[in-house]
Amino acid sequence: MIRELETVQNKPVQLLVTSAKVTKGAPVAIDYTDETVAPETAGMGTLLADIATKYDGIYSIVEPTDATYEEAEVGERIRVIQTLPGEMYATSELTVGSLTAGDPLKVTSGKFVEATPGTDDYAWIYLGEYSDPTGIAMHRIGRVNIVHGATE
């Protein structure tokens, strides 16, 4: 799940087809050879997945819940969010562990995890829990300028 808390408006919209199952709010990577997107396996996570709600079938008369369209199957078109420094999001795609506010984050296996300062490259910091009105367990993350761990 993802919530756009503080973002730059009027950024270009990128709609791409998935080459693997993608979860809403997860960091993704683009394969520019065939213009598809898949969960990012390792890196900084500067691109995030957003899956549009579909109002078809039963959902043409009943309002779908947030959890209804949490994952996109292979071949589905999703919106890729290009993030910029200074933006803040809330996501459920994070391994909390012993994170405290201000800790750097990197991406491992399609989720944000704690990064090691001075070793890992990172572009996000952990900002704490997010109280989502729907009750979904989410956490705030803030986009920062890219920090290269080896040169810190």
Side-chain angles (χ1 to χ4, degrees):
M1 182 54 60
I2 190 166
R3 300 281 188 249
E4 297 181 41
L5 304 177
E6 291 180 17
T7 61
V8 173
Q9 298 301 306
N10 300 319
K11 293 187 287 187
V13 174
Q14 197 166 18
L15 300 172
L16 295 174
V17 174
T18 58
S19 61
K21 191 179 221 177
V22 173
T23 304
K24 188 174 189 173
V28 293
I30 298 173
D31 180 348
Y32 288 99
T33 60
D34 61 1
E35 289 292 314
T36 59
V37 65
E40 187 170 3
T41 55
M44 292 180 281
T46 58
L47 303 173
L48 301 175
D50 189 21
I51 301 167
T53 303
K54 298 174 201 73
Y55 294 94
D56 54 3
I58 187 66
Y59 299 115
S60 63
I61 55 173
V62 175
E63 183 70 23
T65 63
D66 283 334
T68 306
Y69 295 105
E70 190 68 16
E71 294 186 335
E73 298 297 329
V74 175
E76 265 189 72
R77 189 173 301 277
I78 66 166
R79 179 173 72 111
V80 176
I81 302 170
Q82 173 64 53
T83 62
L84 298 171
E87 293 185 324
M88 183 173 30
Y89 296 84
T91 182
S92 57
E93 300 307 300
L94 180 118
T95 303
V96 180
S98 61
L99 285 172
T100 57
D103 285 347
L105 301 169
K106 65 178 181 177
V107 174
T108 301
S109 301
K111 287 195 179 265
F112 289 101
V113 297
E114 187 172 5
T116 305
T119 304
D120 296 322
D121 296 345
Y122 64 91
W124 295 93
I125 57 170
Y126 179 71
L127 298 173
E129 287 186 50
Y130 175 70
S131 180
D132 191 71
T134 63
I136 298 170
M138 298 178 76
H139 299 270
R140 292 180 300 125
I141 58 174
R143 177 74 159 73
V144 296
N145 288 320
I146 293 173
V147 175
H148 295 286
T151 60
E152 191 174 49

